[in-house]
Amino acid sequence: MAEAQRLSHTGSWAWDVRRREFVYRSVGVYYIFGFDPEKGHVPWQTFRDRIDPEDRVRNIEAASQAVREKKSFESIFRIVLPDGSIKRVHSVGRPVVNSDGEVIELIGTHVDVTEQYVAKETLQRAFDEIKKSEDRLRLVIDTIPTLVWRAGPEGIPDFLNQPALDYTGISL
């Protein structure tokens, strides 16, 4: 299981609600947070301090709400590593309820989704550049003092520049 978590950049954990402490953190959690599991136990506060302060309160509130409402939760938060690099973590948890209906534990997983965020941001930048390029091309085509249009194989126009629209009086 440890190898599967390492390969998938995941970790699992269990939080004792009464004692307000982790009763289990897999090796994967240590790796995600940038700790060496071979060096032994890392205090809860040390893990917590790695969570970006802007995300810390929201993360704690998601877990608290899960306890109050006895429902599963999800949160995404950032971890700031000692070298200044940032990881993004998707956390999913669910409450464990005893026979009295009281939440005694939260169990869940952390998934390092940093690569997905980087890919998403890169893709968004590429889309933004394409949009800028399209806008520039549209400006050039609309300022040409002639009618520009394009039609599909059926002969139905699917593009007209602004002078063509003005001349024909139709809209796209």
Side-chain angles (χ1 to χ4, degrees), residues 33 43-53 56 79-80:
F33 277 78
W44 171 74
Q45 185 66 38
T46 307
F47 273 91
R48 185 177 169 272
D49 289 345
R50 292 257 167 116
I51 298 174
D52 187 295
R56 207 174 289 153
I79 295 172
V80 182

Side-chain angles (χ1 to χ4, degrees), residues 49-167:
D49 289 345
R50 292 257 167 116
I51 298 174
D52 187 295
E54 292 179 15
D55 298 342
R56 207 174 289 153
V57 172
R58 186 173 27 83
N59 193 36
I60 291 169
E61 179 52 35
S64 297
Q65 185 177 357
V67 171
R68 283 191 312 273
E69 298 177 6
K70 300 177 184 171
K71 292 183 178 177
S72 297
F73 74 94
E74 286 188 55
S75 79
I76 295 179
F77 58 92
R78 293 166 291 179
I79 295 172
V80 182
L81 297 175
D83 66 2
S85 64
I86 295 176
K87 285 186 178 180
R88 295 199 180 255
V89 177
H90 180 215
S91 185
V92 178
R94 70 172 182 81
V96 175
V97 180
N98 67 11
S99 59
D100 296 329
E102 179 183 351
V103 175
I104 57 170
E105 197 171 65
L106 289 175
I107 59 172
T109 61
H110 289 322
V111 181
D112 181 350
V113 292
T114 306
E115 289 179 12
Q116 291 89 330
Y117 266 84
V118 169
K120 181 180 176 183
E121 289 170 353
T122 301
L123 187 58
Q124 185 60 52
R125 281 193 301 275
F127 282 136
D128 292 345
E129 284 300 315
I130 290 169
K131 178 73 174 124
K132 283 182 196 173
S133 179
E134 286 177 351
D135 291 345
R136 286 190 298 264
L137 181 59
R138 165 67 76 178
L139 181 61
V140 168
I141 290 173
D142 283 345
T143 56
I144 294 173
T146 189
L147 308 181
V148 177
W149 60 278
R150 178 184 66 213
E154 305 82 27
I156 300 170
D158 61 0
F159 172 82
L160 289 95
N161 71 342
Q162 193 60 48
L165 293 172
D166 294 342
Y167 178 77

